[in-house]
Amino acid sequence: MKCGSDLCVIDIENIDTTLKTVLDNKFIKICEGNVSVDLNGVKQRVVNYLAPKKGKTLEMGAIAEFFIHLYLNEVGFEPQFLFFNLEENSIKKGFDGYYFHNAEEWILESKSGLISTPGISHSSKVKESYNDLKAKLAGDVKNNPWREAYNHASHIDVGANVGVRANIKKFTTEFDNKVYHKIDDFNIIPGSTIFLNGTWNATDATALEIEIEEAISKFNFKKIKIVCVTKKSLDLFWQYLTTP
């Protein structure tokens, strides 16, 4: 893993003992919030959600998003939401993640794909994440993403910051009144995950940094943190979920 102030490059060839420990320590908080429940029970809930989606885009997106949440939680970003939707067993929350870190709010958007997809790259997925987030903030979506974020921040097990919750409520009301915002005023986390087809190929972090710097030179933002994850396969997460 190579991390700078604006870019973090994460390679996951396997889930070793260290990574498994981090997963065990953060899994419940990411999925259920600040509660004391059985880890295996929460893992089974994720299995139950992912199983019908196996081989589909939703499975890949959920697994990709989870590992970005794992990294952000590990480095001190406080989630103001739960991994699962509150109304149904899905992971759609309007925004993929809303975080509080060093007295600032951050919004995450995560995109993923398979290495076998023609033209795929981390920079293209970062651009996709950025454009999707920009559209949401500008009101170019069917649903109010702020309302879903507010519902999550209001959940007692999330333990959201009071000021963050108030800000999200303000944005929710403004969105309902068709008052939208430019992405320039927000701290953003565009995330990219690429899944390899089981054959490991480590990321050239130096080349990727140059590629990402070129991509974000055209972005507008208050502050930005980019997370690029390369995983050997989708099966790694399944192995973790099904191993006690």
Side-chain angles (χ1 to χ4, degrees), residues 10 13 21 69 76 82 85 89 93 97 99 102 115 124 127 133 161 165 179 236:
I10 302 172
E13 182 178 3
T21 299
H69 292 321
L82 300 176
N85 186 286
N89 195 23
K93 300 174 291 296
Y99 284 92
N102 288 341
I115 191 62
S124 67
K127 290 176 184 177
L133 185 52
N161 177 277
R165 184 170 174 267
V179 176
L236 290 178

Side-chain angles (χ1 to χ4, degrees), residues 46-63 114 195 233-242:
V46 176
V47 168
N48 294 342
Y49 168 71
L50 289 177
K53 315 297 191 291
K54 197 162 177 58
K56 301 178 181 178
T57 303
L58 279 174
E59 175 207 16
M60 181 168 57
I63 293 174
L114 299 172
F195 293 92
S233 70
L234 286 162
D235 291 338
L236 290 178
F237 193 48
W238 282 102
Q239 293 168 11
Y240 169 75
L241 290 174
T242 55

Side-chain angles (χ1 to χ4, degrees), residues 18-211:
T18 300
L19 181 53
K20 183 181 183 302
T21 299
V22 174
L23 278 161
D24 288 348
N25 290 340
K26 300 296 183 181
F27 199 91
I28 293 173
K29 181 179 179 181
I30 291 171
C31 295
E32 303 279 0
N34 299 306
V35 294
S36 296
V37 293
D38 176 60
L39 173 61
N40 289 327
V42 181
K43 288 168 70 173
Q44 186 59 50
R45 182 185 176 194
V46 176
V47 168
N48 294 342
Y49 168 71
L50 289 177
K53 315 297 191 291
K54 197 162 177 58
K56 301 178 181 178
T57 303
L58 279 174
E59 175 207 16
M60 181 168 57
I63 293 174
E65 184 184 316
F66 190 92
F67 277 86
I68 293 179
H69 292 321
L70 183 68
Y71 161 70
L72 291 171
N73 273 261
E74 183 67 4
V75 296
F77 282 70
E78 284 297 321
Q80 310 295 289
F81 64 98
L82 300 176
F83 181 60
F84 285 105
N85 186 286
L86 299 177
E87 289 74 35
E88 59 186 48
N89 195 23
S90 75
I91 60 164
K92 293 307 295 177
K93 300 174 291 296
F95 300 119
D96 287 336
Y98 204 92
Y99 284 92
F100 189 59
H101 181 63
N102 288 341
E104 294 184 305
E105 297 169 45
W106 293 79
I107 312 176
L108 164 70
E109 190 66 35
S110 166
K111 298 297 180 185
S112 61
L114 299 172
I115 191 62
S116 55
T117 304
I120 194 170
S121 66
H122 279 302
S123 62
S124 67
K125 286 299 172 183
V126 167
K127 290 176 184 177
E128 189 178 340
S129 296
Y130 173 83
N131 289 332
D132 196 29
L133 185 52
K134 183 178 180 181
K136 288 178 179 179
L137 293 170
D140 190 17
V141 286
K142 293 181 179 179
N143 299 322
N144 185 340
W146 293 106
R147 184 167 302 283
E148 295 185 53
Y150 181 73
N151 289 340
H152 274 261
S154 298
H155 195 290
I156 191 170
D157 290 338
V158 171
N161 177 277
V162 175
V164 171
R165 184 170 174 267
N167 282 339
I168 296 175
K169 181 61 174 177
K170 177 179 72 73
F171 288 127
T172 301
T173 302
E174 289 178 344
F175 194 99
D176 286 340
N177 292 324
K178 302 188 185 305
V179 176
Y180 307 123
H181 294 274
K182 293 182 179 180
I183 199 169
D184 313 47
D185 299 324
F186 294 89
N187 300 323
I188 60 173
I189 310 172
S192 166
T193 301
I194 295 179
F195 293 92
L196 306 182
N197 295 325
T199 301
W200 181 245
N201 185 19
T203 303
D204 184 337
T206 301
L208 178 57
E209 185 174 0
I210 295 171
E211 185 180 330

